Structure formats: C-alpha cells, structure tokens
Amino acid sequence: MAPTVLTYNQKGHRLFLRALSSVCFSKSGAYYYALYHENLSRRTCLFLLKEKQITDKTALIDTIKWLISEGKREEFNRLRHFLFAFSESERTAYIQALPEDHQSKSQLILVDYYSRCLPSEGIAAHDYAWCVLLSRAGLKLGYLQKDQAMEYMLSAARLAQQAYSGWSEYIAGFVAGIDFLIPDTSFQTAKENRGFYTKLLSSRHSPMRQVDWNVALNSNK
C-alpha cells in the first residue's frame, strides 16, 4: 500500500523532519531535545548558528545550499574513490605506510572503515541532518520564510530517503560524518552517544518510531 502524502503542517510530516535533525544533538540533554523541542528556542537557534560560524542570513542560506548540493560528503567520496582504485590489501598497505602526522591519514582510515558498512552516499546523513536543523533555526530567527525553509528541508529529506534504507542506516551515516569531520579514529563520539542513538531507534516516544522512513514527502505548496 502506497504511503499517504502529507502536507507540511501535518503531524507525520513534522515528525519526519524533526527526526532527521534530532541526531544533531549530543551528550547531555540530547534525547530531551529530540522528544520535546519541535519549536526550538531563539537561544538554541543562535547557539546552533554560532557553532557553525554562521553570522547572518546570507551565510545561513549559502551553508544550507552547500549542504544540499555538496557538503562534506564530497570530500568523503573523493577519498573513497581514491582508495578504491586499489585492492583491499593495497589500500591497507598504503594507509599504514603514511606517517602518523600525515594530514589525511586519519580520514583515510575512517573512509576505508566506513565504506565497508555504509551505502554509496556515505556520510550524506550528516549534511542532510544539519540542513534540516539549520533551516529550522533560520525559520525561527526570521532569516528564512516558511516556504523557503520547507523547500530546503524537504529537499534534504528526499535525498536522505534516496540515500539510506531506514533510520538505522541514516544514523550510521551521521555518526560516520562526525568521525570524519573531527577526525576521530577512536570512534569516541559513537561510544559517548550510543545510548542516545539506541533510544532514538528503540524508544516508543522517539520521533523515529512514530513516523515511517518511507513516508511520502510532497512539496510545500
């Protein structure tokens, strides 16, 4: 049976967008934000923009468009394509031969590891999650009009659905993106937030459990 098409002001539609961006929160209070902060406070929105070094409306829109069209996944995919020109044994030998202070060694280790367990879009979930959250923040602060924010969020949401098979794979792609950006070959971020991600996937109160991954997403018109 085909999923019902939802308009942007319906509960299921809002839940899907909120669930996509819920992974951006971490550590203390993350699950609380995922459950209860459908309407972000101005203080939280300003903090999110500051965290991403966004200082005005133009910078926000440029960042959102970059996340949709390119994002950090482009760099991840570039390194993956480079590594996968070699055989598995050649890849391992090449990475191990790099000096410890080589600027790309940690990223290559992460790309090699995550490419074995992620779909072809790799860490795109990180780009799409932040696109949705920054669009929500921009709407709250008045930097974006409602139709404009919804256009950005729905674009990211559709791309996420195309890239991943479900919420588990989406979270894996997001966590890989965090590790790639740091970069952290100890996988500390995933370890510290394992409880949060588990709750998002398993708790009946989680927005991810209340809306189907394959819900149809229409335009905001």
Side-chain angles (χ1 to χ4, degrees), residues 73-91:
R73 64 190 180 276
E74 287 294 317
E75 184 179 355
F76 181 93
N77 290 336
R78 178 181 61 80
L79 293 176
R80 178 169 56 184
H81 292 152
F82 168 74
L83 284 179
F84 278 67
F86 305 101
S87 67
E88 184 173 349
S89 59
E90 289 172 335
R91 290 200 302 272

Side-chain angles (χ1 to χ4, degrees), residues 58-133:
T58 300
L60 174 64
I61 293 175
D62 287 346
T63 299
I64 289 172
K65 288 182 176 180
W66 174 76
L67 288 168
I68 292 173
S69 64
E70 180 179 341
K72 277 294 182 179
R73 64 190 180 276
E74 287 294 317
E75 184 179 355
F76 181 93
N77 290 336
R78 178 181 61 80
L79 293 176
R80 178 169 56 184
H81 292 152
F82 168 74
L83 284 179
F84 278 67
F86 305 101
S87 67
E88 184 173 349
S89 59
E90 289 172 335
R91 290 200 302 272
T92 301
Y94 173 78
I95 294 172
Q96 289 179 345
L98 292 173
E100 290 302 318
D101 60 350
H102 189 281
Q103 62 178 2
S104 297
K105 183 169 186 175
S106 293
Q107 286 187 317
L108 288 169
I109 291 172
L110 290 164
V111 170
D112 186 44
Y113 173 80
Y114 280 118
S115 292
R116 303 168 192 266
C117 55
L118 290 176
S120 59
E121 289 300 311
I123 65 170
H126 190 274
D127 295 328
Y128 302 147
W130 274 102
C131 175
V132 173
L133 189 57

Side-chain angles (χ1 to χ4, degrees), residues 146-176:
K146 191 171 188 177
D147 285 354
Q148 186 181 24
M150 286 304 305
E151 179 183 351
Y152 293 145
M153 288 190 284
L154 287 173
S155 293
R158 294 191 194 97
L159 288 169
Q161 285 181 326
Q162 294 168 16
Y164 302 100
S165 62
W167 290 116
S168 294
E169 206 170 68
Y170 175 77
I171 287 180
F174 180 84
V175 174

Side-chain angles (χ1 to χ4, degrees), residues 7-56:
T7 59
Y8 70 86
N9 59 350
Q10 288 183 294
K11 182 180 179 181
H13 203 137
R14 298 197 308 269
L15 274 173
F16 189 80
L17 294 173
R18 200 174 95 211
L20 283 177
S21 58
S22 65
V23 290
C24 297
F25 300 104
S26 61
K27 300 181 181 178
S28 177
Y31 190 59
Y32 177 84
Y33 271 89
L35 261 61
Y36 301 114
H37 278 236
E38 178 176 354
N39 296 312
L40 300 172
S41 68
R42 287 185 61 85
R43 181 179 179 181
T44 297
C45 293
L46 289 169
F47 174 81
L48 292 171
L49 267 59
K50 183 178 180 180
E51 184 178 356
K52 293 299 180 183
Q53 300 180 319
I54 296 171
T55 57
D56 55 32

